[in-house]
Amino acid sequence: MGFLTRLAFKNLFRHKLRTFVSIIAIAFSVMIVVFARGYVVGLIDNLTLEHIQYDSGHIKLITHEYRDEQRLLPLNYPVDGLNGGGLAEMIAALEKVEGVAMVVPRLKFGAMVSTGDELVTMGGWGVDPELETAFTGIEDYLVEGRMPQPGRLEVLMGTALLAKINRRVGEKVTIVFNTAFNSLRGVTFNIVGRTKSGIKLLDEVVFYLPLDQAQRLLEMDGQVTELLLATPDRKLVSQVLPRVQALLAEYGADGRYLALGYKETSDLIFFMDIAKVIYNQIYIFLVLLACIVVINTMLMIVKERTREIGMMSALGLESKDIMRLFLTEGAIMGVTGSLIGAVCGSLLNGYFAKNGIDFSAATSGFSAEIVFNSMVYPLSSPGNTVFAFFLGVVIVTIACVIPARRAARFEPTEAMRA
Amino acid sequence: MALLEMRGLTKIYDQGKIEVPALRGIDLTVEKGEFTTIFGPSGSGKTTLLNLIGCLDRPTAGTIIFDGQELGGLDKKDLAIIRRHHVGFVFQSYNLIPVLTAYENVEFAIRLVNKYEKKEIRDRVMRILAAVGLAGLENRKPNELSGGQKQRVAIARALVKEPKLVLADEPSANLDSKTSEEVLQVMAKMNRELGTTFIFSTHDPLVMEYARRLIEIRDGQVAKDQRRE
């Protein structure tokens, strides 16, 4: 009934300050929901993306033994082909699997550099620079120099690692490491690039070198420690993974190799998925808190307008219409507050999505094994804004059922005597 | 022709362990088009009787037949529908909706009936406002009207849907005698012109002067029932 809606709207102007306070309470909570959800989803998405890029790929292919000892970066459990066909043939076979967009080889090994006073331990990643850039966008973190090129003894290092070993881009560094045959070797490289990513692992621990050089120096021609498979979308992993496993089985290599989805290689991702669900419940409680203000306001309104409710009932307004009138008043406050909150939260998210939130001080104590970028960029998405808006409207309207039912239950004679 | 027939009408209020009888077996018949006043001392049962007649409350015992329909078996919703279509109320304290204009307050009652087109609603509201002497004041809110004007709006609201019965509970209690007289003249005019039945509950001698039938209630019973020409 349009007339009741108009009346509900006009009723909100009876006590402008009270209505304003209620709307602000809703707006504030919805704004927090938009921001918190954007922040949490952004954090989890960033964390997942970085885990995929720098640890697991969408699907990680390693040997069973390597999985058990990968923290020690062993070189004696390599990925070197399917049934003696060689690595290149294995990569070619994997690239043909439907849903596999890219196969990224990595050869990871432990190394150290002497600064004169101390030995700095680090991790070497032999990579195909072109594939690595295409997969991780590592070039975006380059602040000086360039990527190492195949065929050359060149390395790329993080800013903090360079500071630790007291070197600069353009200088040389002698890196000591064990080969696959366990013989100690020292090789001098040119430092051709410097990165700054905010990811502790990349900034302080890892140096990149061309894959062909790593294979040659480690005496691991045609071998890598892992193959990372990329799919066009991480949602496709559940479909692609069985195909990869089927391929391994087809070659009789499933006893040797393991194909793992990105969620299987990190407990953190699993817990983050649970956290997302928990946070969604927390948002509901957050809006419910604001609803206490609205319920209080509405109960005051019902008390003040008891005689008026009696009069309307005497004129023939049914209980359901009285309930609808008060629910409409609550819904108007809910829509207005949620809209303001959603817009403000969205603007706030937009700002931080662009500029990021720097947690480097808070995360300085984190282990480098946790691939975590200390600059967190909240997710600014229309879906998030719409979610928070509807959450606000629905919960506030539902909360208004309490005072509205109270109003609708009055007997007209009792109400008019109030 | 009878609009209302009440037989053995009894109302007892249950106040915890005490039962308070408000009406004790009232028998009354009200004809269509009557202009009746119910009077009596405070606590005599006037308002209770009006509430029962107006379908706002249910009797403890006895029957009310409203325009041929027995009210006893009707539920809350059915009673609301009867009130919406057939009963108009005028209250002592006007009970206008403060955020609505005079026009909208009157419109509210006719909107509930939900059987008129938009244009007809407007015509009826404007006509009734003019009839009660409020032409030109339709856009004023209650706080911009005098007591008498507010009561005229309340009368217009009660009459706009052309109800069979208008119940007025102490309609002159908050008005000075001149304004009371003006308001009563309006109601008497409506009674004559539209044939609407009016029942008042009052202490006001002026209201009694206008009435063509006086019913005195004492201790929940009809003490006197007097008709005047």
Side-chain angles (χ1 to χ4, degrees):
Chain A
M1 194 188 288
F3 192 81
L4 279 185
T5 308
R6 251 193 305 152
L7 177 59
F9 188 76
K10 288 185 175 191
N11 279 336
L12 293 173
F13 288 90
R14 289 189 187 202
H15 294 280
K16 293 188 186 78
L17 181 63
R18 196 163 61 187
T19 304
F20 177 74
V21 169
S22 298
I23 287 173
I24 289 300
I26 299 163
F28 188 72
S29 68
V30 170
M31 185 184 79
I32 297 291
V33 169
V34 173
F35 179 69
R37 193 159 187 266
Y39 173 74
V40 169
V41 172
L43 180 75
I44 293 172
D45 278 1
N46 288 352
L47 203 73
T48 307
L49 183 68
E50 281 148 12
H51 172 71
I52 288 168
Q53 288 177 334
Y54 299 107
D55 188 348
S56 69
H58 289 121
I59 296 166
K60 188 175 190 175
L61 217 148
I62 50 177
T63 61
H64 283 275
E65 296 87 348
Y66 187 81
R67 186 190 196 187
D68 298 334
E69 296 180 29
Q70 61 183 322
R71 288 189 66 183
L72 303 172
L73 298 174
L75 298 174
N76 41 346
Y77 308 116
V79 177
D80 57 3
L82 298 165
N83 284 345
L87 184 65
E89 189 186 295
M90 183 180 184
I91 290 174
L94 287 166
E95 281 172 342
K96 281 182 193 157
V97 173
E98 190 190 342
V100 174
M102 195 187 294
V103 180
V104 182
R106 276 184 192 157
L107 177 49
K108 293 182 177 177
F109 60 100
M112 55 191 164
V113 168
S114 170
T115 61
D117 299 328
E118 61 172 335
L119 281 174
V120 176
T121 55
M122 54 185 79
W125 287 13
V127 298
D128 178 322
E130 210 171 297
L131 283 173
E132 194 69 21
T133 301
F135 182 52
T136 64
I138 183 76
E139 269 187 344
D140 295 342
Y141 294 139
L142 262 178
V143 288
E144 192 180 354
R146 57 172 174 77
M147 287 293 286
Q149 289 180 357
R152 298 182 182 181
L153 286 173
E154 294 176 343
V155 290
L156 171 81
M157 288 185 170
T159 302
L161 183 58
L162 281 172
K164 266 196 213 174
I165 60 172
N166 203 18
R167 297 287 199 289
R168 291 178 182 176
V169 174
E171 293 181 353
K172 292 182 185 300
V173 61
T174 300
I175 300 174
V176 180
F177 49 88
N178 267 332
T179 68
F181 296 104
N182 227 6
S183 58
L184 199 64
R185 190 165 187 180
V187 178
T188 301
F189 294 86
N190 289 316
I191 304 170
V192 295
R194 176 169 68 91
T195 57
K196 190 169 186 184
S197 62
I199 301 168
K200 203 167 180 177
L201 180 76
L202 299 187
D203 287 346
E204 294 182 19
V205 178
V206 167
F207 67 93
Y208 284 87
L209 71 161
L211 180 62
D212 61 341
Q213 295 303 306
Q215 287 171 325
R216 183 177 64 80
L217 298 171
L218 294 165
E219 299 177 76
M220 291 180 69
D221 283 340
Q223 297 177 341
V224 291
T225 49
E226 61 194 41
L227 287 176
L228 305 185
L229 277 55
T231 60
D233 189 318
R234 69 181 188 225
K235 288 178 187 152
L236 296 173
V237 168
S238 58
Q239 297 166 33
V240 178
L241 184 59
R243 291 179 202 141
V244 174
Q245 286 164 337
L247 177 84
L248 295 177
E250 188 186 318
Y251 280 88
D254 50 334
R256 183 174 174 209
Y257 295 125
L258 258 177
L260 301 164
Y262 69 93
K263 287 187 182 179
E264 295 171 83
T265 49
S266 169
D267 290 340
L268 205 57
I269 302 278
F270 172 73
F271 286 120
M272 287 294 179
D273 281 345
I274 294 172
K276 259 189 195 174
V277 177
I278 294 169
Y279 276 114
N280 278 339
Q281 288 164 0
I282 291 172
Y283 304 140
I284 292 172
F285 284 107
L286 204 63
V287 179
L288 277 175
L289 275 178
C291 283
I292 293 171
V293 177
V294 181
I295 291 171
N296 181 47
T297 304
M298 293 295 287
L299 285 173
M300 279 162 67
I301 288 171
V302 170
K303 191 169 170 58
E304 281 171 10
R305 301 215 308 251
T306 303
R307 285 173 70 90
E308 195 176 301
I309 293 164
M311 177 274 293
M312 290 195 289
S313 179
L315 291 184
L317 207 64
E318 288 177 45
S319 297
K320 65 177 168 57
D321 296 323
I322 292 169
M323 185 151 170
R324 197 188 305 163
L325 175 69
F326 281 90
L327 278 181
T328 308
E329 287 183 32
I332 293 171
M333 285 198 279
V335 168
T336 313
S338 300
L339 193 66
I340 294 169
V343 169
C344 292
S346 188
L347 290 174
L348 199 66
N349 257 359
Y351 174 80
F352 284 111
K354 199 175 169 192
N355 298 296
I357 304 169
D358 190 356
F359 282 94
S360 49
T363 58
S364 59
F366 275 26
S367 159
E369 281 180 30
I370 302 170
V371 184
F372 177 81
N373 195 328
S374 57
M375 282 298 282
V376 175
Y377 294 89
L379 180 78
S380 178
S381 75
N384 183 24
T385 309
V386 171
F387 167 85
F389 172 76
F390 280 107
L391 188 75
V393 173
V394 170
I395 293 182
V396 170
T397 308
I398 290 171
C400 286
V401 167
I402 299 165
R405 274 172 66 101
R406 195 183 165 98
R409 278 180 181 169
F410 282 132
E411 288 294 329
T413 49
E414 286 171 19
M416 281 192 291
R417 271 201 301 268
Chain B
M1 195 176 172
L3 177 70
L4 281 165
E5 287 181 66
M6 290 162 260
R7 296 287 168 258
L9 204 59
T10 303
K11 180 71 185 178
I12 298 168
Y13 290 109
D14 190 1
Q15 296 183 336
K17 290 177 181 175
I18 308 164
E19 287 189 338
V20 181
L23 296 178
R24 304 161 189 256
I26 284 190
D27 295 322
L28 262 180
T29 300
V30 178
E31 302 294 329
K32 283 182 181 170
E34 277 193 8
F35 202 76
T36 301
T37 292
I38 298 169
F39 70 100
S42 292
S44 58
K46 302 186 298 293
T47 300
T48 302
L49 182 58
L50 239 58
N51 286 343
L52 294 178
I53 293 171
C55 307
L56 294 171
D57 206 353
R58 289 192 186 86
T60 311
T63 57
I64 306 175
I65 298 170
F66 183 97
D67 201 26
Q69 185 174 15
E70 224 276 74
L71 301 183
L74 302 183
D75 62 16
K76 202 176 167 183
K77 185 184 170 187
D78 292 332
L79 291 174
I81 292 169
I82 289 183
R83 289 199 299 273
R84 188 189 307 164
H85 290 273
H86 304 304
V87 186
F89 290 90
V90 179
F91 305 99
Q92 177 182 335
S93 50
Y94 327 125
N95 282 4
L96 300 178
I97 300 172
V99 290
L100 301 182
T101 61
Y103 177 91
E104 289 167 333
N105 265 287
V106 178
E107 185 192 13
F108 182 78
I110 198 167
R111 283 264 186 185
L112 291 178
V113 176
N114 203 21
K115 69 172 184 185
Y116 301 108
E117 294 295 318
K118 209 171 176 182
K119 186 179 177 306
E120 196 179 350
I121 289 174
R122 180 157 185 85
D123 289 346
R124 278 174 175 268
V125 174
M126 294 306 280
R127 206 162 50 229
I128 199 76
L129 281 170
V132 298
L134 290 175
L137 300 179
E138 56 271 7
N139 290 324
R140 290 201 187 174
K141 287 192 175 165
N143 64 351
E144 297 163 337
L145 296 169
S146 68
Q149 287 168 333
K150 283 182 203 170
Q151 199 58 298
R152 284 165 194 250
V153 175
I155 294 166
R157 182 177 65 187
L159 291 169
V160 69
K161 59 191 177 189
E162 295 183 0
K164 290 173 179 166
L165 173 67
V166 171
L167 298 169
D169 191 6
E170 305 276 8
S172 57
N174 289 334
L175 305 176
D176 59 48
S177 56
K178 185 170 175 288
T179 312
S180 293
E181 180 129 28
E182 285 171 7
V183 165
L184 282 165
Q185 279 170 0
V186 168
M187 289 197 266
K189 183 181 154 205
M190 294 300 155
N191 171 249
R192 279 195 308 274
E193 290 178 1
L194 302 173
T196 311
T197 308
F198 279 79
I199 300 177
F200 296 86
S201 153
T202 190
H203 289 101
D204 188 351
L206 186 64
V207 179
M208 290 186 222
E209 270 180 36
Y210 272 81
R212 293 199 299 275
R213 184 180 179 190
L214 291 168
I215 299 168
E216 185 182 0
I217 303 282
R218 274 188 185 277
D219 300 325
Q221 290 178 312
V222 176
K224 199 191 289 180
D225 186 354
Q226 181 191 353
R227 288 174 193 273
R228 296 196 299 212
E229 289 305 314

